[in-house]
Amino acid sequence: MPITGTTRLTGLLGSPVSHSLSPLMHNTAFQLLGLDYVYLCFDVKEDGLEEAVRGLTTIGVVGFNLTMPDKTRMVDLSDELSDAARLIGAVNTVRYTKGILKGYNTDGEGFWRSAGDHGFDPAGKTCVLLGAGGASSAVAVQGALNQLSTLYIFARPGSKRRAHTEALVCRLNEETDCHVILADYHDSSALRDALGASDILINGTPVGMSPDEAHSPIADASMLHPSLVVADLIYHPQETLLLKEAKAAGCTVFNGMDMLLYQGAAAFRLWTGHEMPIPAVRRTLAFSK
Ligand code: NAP
């Protein structure tokens, strides 16, 4: 579909953005559905975000995604926030309609939809999550909103985000029915006990990501048991050492590729009202590497 005088604008703000797969994902979906939209990338640092957002609203943007460092700053620039964006304290998707900028965070929704494809429903389940950064926070919040019963977050105590993580854990315990426990990433005995009682393990740290493929965030693979679903938010490599060892232990495993796809699909739905044609877009992303 050619760009015309009626083509509607969506895009990505952040810095850097040139490596992003989002333009390929969204523009493929627009073309396949014959929708008169385009998705472009704009390299915008945090100090330029307010001006960029004002400009985009002036020209009538439909909505946009944000990547670091703009996700947290967008919280203050939004007129309204979804529950997930408010609890996480980060916005990855904005919809602009009737003069209102509404901020959403679709990362956690993307992850749990991907888990659903593997037959996993978080309701009433116990989860171990490794890491407490941007992606982990989104997965934690949406997991709690989706009725996880217990969530163990194993994070490094010396982290510069510690205060932020502690505040997030308090908010989730106060505002959801999920019991959230913050544990020390280095406490292998607590980890073994938590994994023994858990239904799903999620790696939200970069340990095992290319080029550091020889490492797993679970140093002792005997902690993995066959009834555990094991997910890695990493998608490069497609199969991390953690996923290899979990597969060998008889666990159901999946990587972060569909989280990426489904967080985009959720944004696509917010902007267009249409479902993204997932199988065709997934094939296009696979061929792009
Ligand atoms: P982030 O905000 O920097 O958070 C990283 C987290 O991992 C922090 O809790 C950090 O702890 C911890 N960590 C870092 N290095 C560690 C190590 N060597 N040992 C133990 N913990 C460590 O990063 P992010 O954006 O959340 O990304 C995390 C992972 O998720 C990356 O692999 C990324 O590729 C992946 N991801 C996937 C998707 C997807 O769509 N599939 C989306 C976003 C991210 P400290 O605070 O102590 O440093």
Side-chain angles (χ1 to χ4, degrees):
M1 174 154 229
I3 291 176
T4 68
T6 60
T7 302
R8 308 188 72 195
L9 178 64
T10 63
L12 173 66
L13 310 187
S15 187
V17 285
S18 56
H19 63 285
S20 173
L21 290 174
S22 294
L24 181 63
M25 188 190 322
H26 288 285
N27 289 320
T28 299
F30 294 147
Q31 293 286 333
L32 286 168
L33 296 185
L35 298 174
D36 189 12
Y37 290 69
V38 67
Y39 186 103
L40 300 175
C41 282
F42 302 99
D43 197 306
V44 179
K45 298 192 174 54
E46 216 176 347
D47 58 1
L49 184 64
E50 185 168 1
E51 202 178 339
V53 169
R54 204 176 316 119
L56 286 169
T57 57
T58 305
I59 61 175
V61 72
V62 174
F64 48 91
N65 287 135
L66 299 113
T67 185
M68 293 315 281
D70 295 344
K71 283 180 164 184
T72 38
R73 174 78 183 105
M74 194 63 219
V75 170
D76 295 330
L77 299 177
S78 300
D79 299 310
E80 294 176 6
L81 291 172
S82 70
D83 282 346
R86 179 180 58 78
L87 284 163
I88 298 161
V91 167
N92 81 332
T93 300
V94 169
R95 180 167 178 240
Y96 182 58
T97 177
K98 298 181 183 151
I100 301 285
L101 283 164
K102 180 157 181 181
Y104 299 83
N105 195 310
T106 64
D107 285 333
E109 182 181 335
F111 173 80
W112 289 107
R113 180 172 172 192
S114 167
D117 284 354
H118 295 271
F120 190 86
D121 175 359
K125 304 286 193 340
T126 297
C127 173
V128 167
L129 175 62
L130 305 176
S136 300
S137 301
V139 168
V141 165
Q142 197 63 52
L145 291 173
N146 288 6
Q147 315 294 323
L148 272 175
S149 129
T150 307
L151 171 61
Y152 295 92
I153 300 176
F154 281 82
R156 297 193 288 197
S159 170
K160 60 179 177 351
R161 328 165 207 248
R162 189 65 178 189
H164 178 270
T165 304
E166 286 172 354
L168 176 67
V169 169
C170 278
R171 280 201 299 280
L172 291 178
N173 278 318
E174 276 166 23
E175 295 191 36
T176 74
D177 294 331
C178 182
H179 180 211
V180 185
I181 299 148
L182 183 56
D184 178 352
Y185 183 85
H186 301 292
D187 186 343
S188 53
S189 152
L191 181 60
R192 183 179 289 279
D193 288 350
L195 284 173
S198 287
D199 304 289
I200 187 166
L201 162 67
I202 304 161
N203 176 35
T205 78
V207 179
M209 186 165 71
S210 182
D212 183 26
E213 296 181 22
H215 292 98
S216 165
I218 299 292
D220 179 358
S222 73
M223 291 187 194
L224 305 170
H225 53 87
S227 52
L228 199 60
V229 172
V230 177
D232 207 322
L233 303 193
I234 295 170
Y235 50 85
H236 188 54
Q238 287 187 22
E239 192 173 67
T240 56
L241 180 58
L242 170 65
L243 294 189
K244 280 193 187 104
E245 290 182 340
K247 211 195 245 178
C251 307
T252 298
V253 304
F254 62 98
N255 68 19
M257 187 40 106
D258 279 356
M259 170 178 174
L260 178 75
L261 189 59
Y262 288 146
Q263 62 75 30
F268 188 88
R269 193 185 316 116
L270 284 166
W271 299 330
T272 67
H274 291 271
E275 289 301 320
M276 185 179 267
I278 294 290
V281 174
R282 187 187 281 119
R283 274 196 300 279
T284 304
L285 290 185
F287 283 128
S288 75
K289 284 185 268 131

